[in-house]
Amino acid sequence: MRYDFIEKDDKIIMKDISNFEPKHVFECGQCFRWNRENDGSYTGVVYDKILNVKKVGNDVILSNTNKEDFESIWYNYFDLDRDCDEIKAKLSKDSILKKAIEFGEGIRILRQDEWEILISFITSANNRIPMIKRALETLSEKYGRFIDEYNGKKYYSFPKAKDLNSLSLDEIKKCHTGFRGKYILSAANIIENKEIDIYAIKNISTEDGRKELLLFPGVGPKVADCILLFSMNKPDAFPIDVWVKRVMEYFYLDEDTNLKDIQKYAQDKFRELAGFAQQYLFYYARELGIGKKK
DNA sequence: CGTCAGGTCTCTA
DNA sequence: TAGAGACCTGAC
């Protein structure tokens, strides 16, 4: 294990940890079900577990958990085996990324559930982050499973494909999903009918995985790359949303470069680390409003 | 009241 | 193969 930890009460304390900044991890655009608390910590639901993550000095404290879950779930979920120093060193050779990395120090790419990420990023298309979060929370409250109450709030697991499969389109649209409702429903149908095994895609190449994901209605190149990067451990995927487009054009390319050319440029430049570069650039661009017209 | 948001789909040339 | 429009919805 790359990180030492101690167990105390219902907490796991990772001492003197580097490359783990909760704000940057949970607000770099990869997840929607982690929320900031008044004390600056973050609480989220993963599978059927509720976890709170807080940084205190140089320690990261995971609350409402235990050693068994840390070893079987959280160590993998937070990708704690990753050598972030090596990635940062390689990417820092580029002067722009060097700045983005300093700015987003401690970003980690989570290893999230494939199905949940598929639905989450289908919901993200032409949408706003607060609305995406609301839609996913409503789906969970209505069709997920009640887990527990934690610090006065109720938490629900994300619904499974079989939970959504039998619903009507109207029921899904009542969860604030809008025109994406039909895509969510058909994704549930495709998974339940075993037309596509979403959990097998991580075992094939990034390129083949992308092709497979594009078979889902509502999944285009950007959403497919998000799924590959955020749930299938494919760090060479490079999702291009409006922010990444802006930041790439601002620093590296001409204005109005088409998406395919940006994609090619990024893959050639960042290669197997493109996804990590994307996360740093995205966070940098969005927090500073780089390239935003106005 | 228009505008627009972490894109994708559909239709046209 | 590329480019323009439409698209749920609700905050501003």
Side-chain angles (χ1 to χ4, degrees):
Chain A
M1 286 213 177
R2 195 172 288 282
Y3 291 103
D4 289 326
F5 65 93
I6 53 177
E7 184 179 29
K8 189 181 175 191
D9 302 326
D10 70 336
K11 302 180 194 313
I12 295 291
I13 302 168
M14 296 187 277
K15 300 291 289 181
D16 290 324
I17 191 169
S18 58
N19 298 317
F20 194 136
E21 183 56 52
K23 175 179 161 58
H24 299 168
V25 172
F26 299 122
E27 295 186 17
C28 68
Q30 61 181 324
C31 53
F32 299 101
R33 297 200 70 208
W34 285 92
N35 293 305
R36 190 179 180 88
E37 306 282 4
N38 291 330
D39 66 354
S41 69
Y42 288 80
T43 305
V45 179
V46 179
Y47 305 114
D48 58 345
K49 308 286 183 185
I50 305 162
L51 187 73
N52 178 269
V53 181
K54 185 174 188 181
K55 183 132 193 198
V56 178
N58 292 322
D59 301 342
V60 170
I61 301 171
L62 309 182
S63 298
N64 198 38
T65 187
N66 55 50
K67 184 169 179 282
E68 289 67 41
D69 284 353
F70 178 75
E71 290 176 341
S72 67
I73 301 173
W74 307 122
Y75 195 80
N76 178 66
Y77 182 79
F78 289 109
D79 199 24
L80 294 179
D81 225 18
R82 184 79 57 183
D83 188 345
C84 295
D85 288 332
E86 186 190 349
I87 292 166
K88 281 162 38 180
K90 285 183 180 169
L91 291 176
S92 289
K93 289 175 186 167
D94 180 273
S95 63
I96 292 151
L97 264 170
K98 189 170 160 48
K99 281 183 196 156
I101 288 170
E102 282 166 15
F103 186 81
E105 176 67 35
I107 286 179
R108 314 189 65 81
I109 295 181
L110 301 171
R111 294 215 205 172
Q112 303 179 79
D113 177 73
E114 288 92 329
W115 155 254
E116 179 173 337
I117 289 299
L118 168 69
I119 299 305
S120 299
F121 281 90
I122 284 176
T123 307
S124 78
N126 196 29
N127 208 348
R128 291 168 195 248
I129 290 172
M131 283 292 295
I132 301 165
K133 294 179 79 155
R134 176 145 84 119
L136 298 174
E137 279 317 303
T138 308
L139 281 169
S140 301
E141 279 169 27
K142 283 190 169 178
Y143 304 111
R145 196 178 60 79
F146 173 68
I147 301 172
D148 203 354
E149 202 162 299
Y150 182 73
N151 288 340
K153 273 192 231 166
K154 291 181 174 177
Y155 288 88
Y156 299 82
S157 64
F158 194 79
K160 306 217 174 288
K162 68 170 161 44
D163 298 322
L164 302 185
N165 183 43
S166 54
L167 300 178
S168 68
L169 179 54
D170 199 46
E171 286 171 308
I172 300 226
K173 290 186 80 166
K174 282 201 173 114
C175 299
H176 315 283
T177 55
F179 66 86
R180 310 157 197 86
K182 56 183 178 291
Y183 303 140
I184 293 171
L185 189 54
S186 69
N189 294 336
I190 289 169
I191 299 294
E192 268 308 276
N193 296 338
K194 301 190 188 304
E195 292 166 43
I196 296 175
D197 181 357
I198 189 93
Y199 294 103
I201 297 178
K202 65 170 175 288
N203 301 318
I204 62 180
S205 72
T206 303
E207 196 187 337
D208 289 344
R210 184 182 288 113
K211 283 180 195 160
E212 190 96 334
L213 288 169
L214 290 174
L215 297 174
F216 288 98
V219 174
K222 188 269 178 181
V223 169
D225 283 343
C226 284
I227 298 166
L228 289 161
L229 182 59
F230 300 140
S231 74
M232 295 176 177
N233 193 22
K234 301 290 188 191
D236 53 332
F238 189 85
I240 304 173
D241 57 45
V242 288
W243 290 104
V244 174
K245 183 176 190 299
R246 283 173 191 155
V247 74
M248 289 300 289
E249 290 175 347
Y250 187 83
F251 287 120
Y252 299 103
L253 299 159
D254 296 330
E255 224 176 296
D256 296 323
T257 306
N258 74 47
L259 292 175
K260 279 201 167 177
D261 291 340
I262 298 176
Q263 187 88 42
K264 183 167 166 32
Y265 181 89
Q267 306 287 7
D268 288 346
K269 188 173 183 64
F270 305 125
R271 299 181 177 278
E272 80 284 358
L273 301 178
F276 294 104
Q278 191 270 5
Q279 281 308 91
Y280 288 117
L281 290 169
F282 172 86
Y283 187 72
Y284 192 50
R286 201 181 58 157
E287 292 290 310
L288 297 182
I290 288 171
K292 191 170 184 178
K293 285 170 190 166
K294 261 183 204 175

